[in-house]
Amino acid sequence: MSDVVRIFIGSSANGEDADIETVYEHSIRKNCSKHAEITWMRQTNDTNSVWNGWTTENWSTPFSGFRWAIPEMCNFEGRAIYTDVDMINYRDMNELLNVEMNGKPIAARRGSRFGGHEFCVMVFDCEEMEKHLISVSRQKTLPAIHHRYINRFSGDEETVQDLDPRWNCLDGESRPLNDIWQLHFTKMSTQPWRPEWFTGIIEKHPRQDIVDEFYRALEEAKEAGLDPEVRRQE
């Protein structure tokens, strides 16, 4: 069992998600029983970065396809967690990393949006994933690769182990806050921090307690010394 919890988080460039990044990082570190090694996956002009040079025009977010690079970035060794950025954590991520996978390469919750599973929180068995993926250098050149993998894995019981849905609770669903392990602000139009890259119609979140929780968690993170303004200027 590793002493490090490897977590890869898909986020936007240019500080557009700085507020939720601040909230999410603080919540992860507050609850994690081991060292959380966080890798932020953001588009970049740095040609030496693996997150540079991807063909992204078919992606629904600025980071959609990056998750499929994670096993190779881990040298196809051990386990790693992927999540989107738009979350607040309430439970030890080390528990998620060590969830029972029954020999399958992926763990994710059941859901209807993508044909069977929700891949916004995933655990990878990196070694087992090697046989299912093409190289990252090739992935970068294929605009449809993200959707190909979604279609390949979602709903496939041979490759995906079901996670407890509390690890990826979509906008709170019908659960009280004290029964959520990982809160996911999944609907971009209702996210209270208003990411600039989202150009759709802004809507009211259906649960005011969820919105209030974001602002409470943001103040807590700031009091702990994390400053979203610093992130915006990086």
Side-chain angles (χ1 to χ4, degrees):
M1 194 174 292
S2 174
D3 290 331
V4 173
V5 179
R6 295 185 296 192
I7 307 170
F8 291 77
I9 303 173
S11 190
S12 61
N14 307 314
E16 293 171 340
D17 285 315
D19 287 343
I20 192 60
E21 282 188 15
T22 300
V23 166
Y24 190 26
E25 179 172 351
H26 174 66
S27 69
I28 290 171
R29 298 196 186 283
K30 173 184 174 181
N31 295 308
C32 198
S33 61
K34 295 188 176 179
H35 173 64
E37 182 182 272
I38 296 175
T39 298
W40 298 99
M41 302 188 297
R42 303 184 183 96
Q43 292 184 25
T44 177
N45 292 323
D46 179 1
T47 56
N48 294 316
S49 171
V50 69
W51 316 122
N52 170 266
W54 290 69
T55 308
T56 64
E57 58 262 29
N58 290 351
W59 296 3
S60 57
T61 72
F63 49 82
S64 294
F66 287 162
R67 71 199 72 188
W68 308 109
I70 292 170
E72 186 173 325
M73 294 304 95
C74 294
N75 298 312
F76 297 110
E77 296 173 352
R79 289 187 177 190
I81 295 168
Y82 166 77
T83 81
D84 294 349
V85 69
D86 44 6
M87 301 195 176
I88 305 176
N89 171 262
Y90 299 99
R91 194 174 180 94
D92 188 350
M93 283 285 209
N94 188 52
E95 292 184 26
L96 176 59
L97 186 72
N98 291 291
V99 72
E100 178 59 62
M101 295 178 70
N102 293 308
K104 299 175 185 179
I106 297 171
R109 71 160 284 179
R110 286 276 175 179
S112 59
R113 293 187 305 160
F114 304 111
H117 287 94
E118 304 278 341
F119 289 140
C120 15
V121 173
M122 306 168 71
V123 183
F124 284 118
D125 182 320
C126 297
E127 182 178 355
E128 289 297 317
M129 278 302 292
E130 185 170 13
K131 64 177 71 77
H132 298 283
L133 298 171
I134 62 174
S135 69
V136 171
S137 60
R138 180 70 176 134
Q139 288 184 44
K140 286 185 176 188
T141 68
L142 300 174
I145 193 64
H146 174 56
H147 296 290
R148 281 192 205 172
Y149 284 141
I150 292 288
N151 292 336
R152 162 66 183 86
F153 295 117
S154 191
D156 182 5
E157 296 182 1
E158 296 299 313
T159 55
V160 185
Q161 174 66 33
D162 291 351
L163 273 181
D164 189 309
R166 287 175 289 184
W167 278 118
N168 184 10
C169 189
L170 311 178
D171 283 297
E173 297 174 74
S174 60
R175 296 183 183 276
L177 280 170
N178 62 7
D179 193 36
I180 295 172
W181 299 350
Q182 184 93 347
L183 174 60
H184 184 187
F185 291 87
T186 183
K187 192 173 182 182
M188 289 174 279
S189 62
T190 64
Q191 291 174 342
W193 59 93
R194 304 285 187 255
E196 293 179 14
W197 57 265
F198 176 70
T199 58
I201 297 172
I202 299 299
E203 300 175 294
K204 180 180 174 60
H205 197 285
R207 283 185 59 174
Q208 185 60 42
D209 64 326
I210 295 294
V211 175
D212 293 344
E213 175 60 10
F214 164 73
Y215 288 110
R216 183 209 63 78
L218 180 59
E219 287 308 307
E220 181 182 282
K222 289 178 179 178
E223 289 173 4
L226 279 71
D227 187 352
E229 293 307 319
V230 172
R231 291 175 186 267
R232 269 187 268 276
Q233 295 167 20
E234 288 179 347

